[in-house]
Each structure stands twice: as structure tokens, then as C-alpha cells.
Amino acid sequence: MRLKLLLLIGALIMPSFAGCIEDAEEVRYFPEFSAIADNGELYDSERMENQSFIVMFSAEWCNRPCYSTMHSMWNAQAELPVLVMSTDPAERAGGLTLQQWHDSANAYDDDDNSTNNDLTTYAFMKGDEAALEMEITTPGTMVFVNSKGEITDTHEGKLDDAGLILSYWARANE
């Protein structure tokens, strides 16, 4: 009788424990990376260790949604540590240089021969290996990474909501 009662109680409470286990979100880490940016500096996993940062997977040809998002992030909070990684293969011929790509992004919000934001803290680099490893195929995907290297948020597509940008950034800095 006691054994039947224990089995019945176990059967009743096991589904609630299973739900807890299934609902636990798996921690994802940003992959190891190493790339020379448009400023000639090496950016890699070691350099970014113990600090939060944002990676924007873009492409040299992605101007409107990608550049718009870059400037929206700058306007939400200037000088965020943003690594802009191209999803185009490093060996792709005929593309822009990294500096031309950065200059083009800077000029996106310029009008009437006036310079607006220059994305001075953004480092533009090739990053197709990291994108492939993370199965990111859509330019305009942002990944927010905390100081432990954990991905706290991923956003695909245009992002122009300053409040959402700041909430993603706050979560990466918790």
C-alpha cells in the first residue's frame, strides 16, 4: 500500500519537475573569433574577455536596414562597443574595403553636406566564420554578449527602438 502511494505521489509531481527542466533556457556562448578591423587592430575572444559587447552581423552591401540600425544604436547610447562583422566571405572579390564600408556607414545619416554621427567606436571586420558557426544567415542580426561571453539577446532585422536597444544592453551588463 505504501509503495503504491509513493508511486502515485511520484507520478503526480514528476511532470512539474520535468516542466522546470524543459523550461530552463540553455546558455549559449559567443564563438571564439579573431579578425583585423578597419582600424588595423586585432579583435578576438581574448581582447573582448570580461567585457560586454554587441556584434552586428551585417554585409558590405546591406545599407538601409543595417546602417539604420547602427545609427539607431549610436543614438540610443553613443560609443557602445560594437563589432560589425561581415557575413560575406573574407575571400570575396570585388567587395568594399573595411574602411570604405565603415565610411559608408558613417555617411548614412549625413545630409546637405553636413556630417552627423561617426560610428567611432564601431569596429568593422570580417566575421563570416562566427556567423556560420552560429547559423546566422541574415545580415542585420545583432547579438548582445555579456562579460562571461554568454549571449543574452539576439535580434534579427531592423532595430530602431531606443528603449529595446537599451534593455538588451542592460541585460548584457547584468
Side-chain angles (χ1 to χ4, degrees), residues 3 24 52 56 58 66 79 99 111 121 126 139 147 158 160 162-163:
L3 181 59
S52 300
M56 176 165 194
S58 185
C66 296
E79 301 183 353
Q99 188 59 56
D111 49 353
T121 59
K126 292 292 185 175
S147 62
K158 184 178 177 183
D160 58 6

Side-chain angles (χ1 to χ4, degrees), residues 6-7 13 15 24 41 50 77 108 119 125 147 157 159 170:
L6 286 174
L7 289 173
I13 64 172
E41 294 183 31
N50 298 319
Q77 184 174 329
Y108 176 76
L119 309 172
M125 65 194 71
S147 62
L159 179 58

Side-chain angles (χ1 to χ4, degrees), residues 7 26 29 43 50 62 68-70 78 95 128 143 152-155:
L7 289 173
E26 182 182 331
Y29 290 89
Y43 286 82
N50 298 319
C62 179
S68 174
T69 296
M70 289 178 204
D128 61 310
V143 178
T152 57
D153 287 289
T154 301
H155 183 95

Side-chain angles (χ1 to χ4, degrees), residues 61-100:
W61 51 264
C62 179
N63 51 21
R64 259 199 213 284
C66 296
Y67 292 173
S68 174
T69 296
M70 289 178 204
H71 284 274
S72 292
M73 286 193 300
W74 186 273
N75 290 331
Q77 184 174 329
E79 301 183 353
L80 288 173
V82 177
L83 307 180
V84 182
M85 293 186 173
S86 176
T87 56
D88 293 326
E91 63 279 349
R92 182 178 156 226
L96 300 172
T97 68
L98 295 174
Q99 188 59 56
Q100 289 170 327

Side-chain angles (χ1 to χ4, degrees), residues 6-162:
L6 286 174
L7 289 173
L8 180 61
I9 292 170
L12 292 174
I13 64 172
M14 283 306 283
S16 60
F17 285 127
C20 292
I21 293 168
E22 289 173 16
D23 291 341
E25 196 171 312
E26 182 182 331
V27 175
R28 297 179 308 136
Y29 290 89
F30 195 80
E32 296 286 320
F33 70 97
S34 180
I36 302 293
D38 62 308
N39 60 8
E41 294 183 31
L42 174 68
Y43 286 82
D44 60 11
S45 302
E46 185 177 328
R47 177 177 181 160
M48 302 311 291
E49 192 172 54
N50 298 319
Q51 61 181 312
S52 300
F53 59 97
I54 302 166
V55 176
M56 176 165 194
F57 288 101
S58 185
E60 291 128 45
W61 51 264
C62 179
N63 51 21
R64 259 199 213 284
C66 296
Y67 292 173
S68 174
T69 296
M70 289 178 204
H71 284 274
S72 292
M73 286 193 300
W74 186 273
N75 290 331
Q77 184 174 329
E79 301 183 353
L80 288 173
V82 177
L83 307 180
V84 182
M85 293 186 173
S86 176
T87 56
D88 293 326
E91 63 279 349
R92 182 178 156 226
L96 300 172
T97 68
L98 295 174
Q99 188 59 56
Q100 289 170 327
W101 184 28
H102 196 157
D103 291 344
S104 181
N106 283 341
Y108 176 76
D109 69 340
D110 297 349
D111 49 353
D112 298 327
N113 294 327
S114 64
T115 301
N116 288 313
N117 295 329
D118 278 343
L119 309 172
T120 56
T121 59
Y122 291 20
F124 286 68
M125 65 194 71
K126 292 292 185 175
D128 61 310
E129 297 88 7
L132 287 171
E133 188 170 331
M134 296 177 65
E135 298 180 357
I136 292 174
T137 57
T138 305
T141 300
M142 276 104 4
V143 178
F144 293 76
V145 182
N146 70 16
S147 62
K148 297 176 195 171
E150 300 168 340
I151 297 170
T152 57
D153 287 289
T154 301
H155 183 95
E156 188 176 303
K158 184 178 177 183
L159 179 58
D160 58 6
D161 181 332

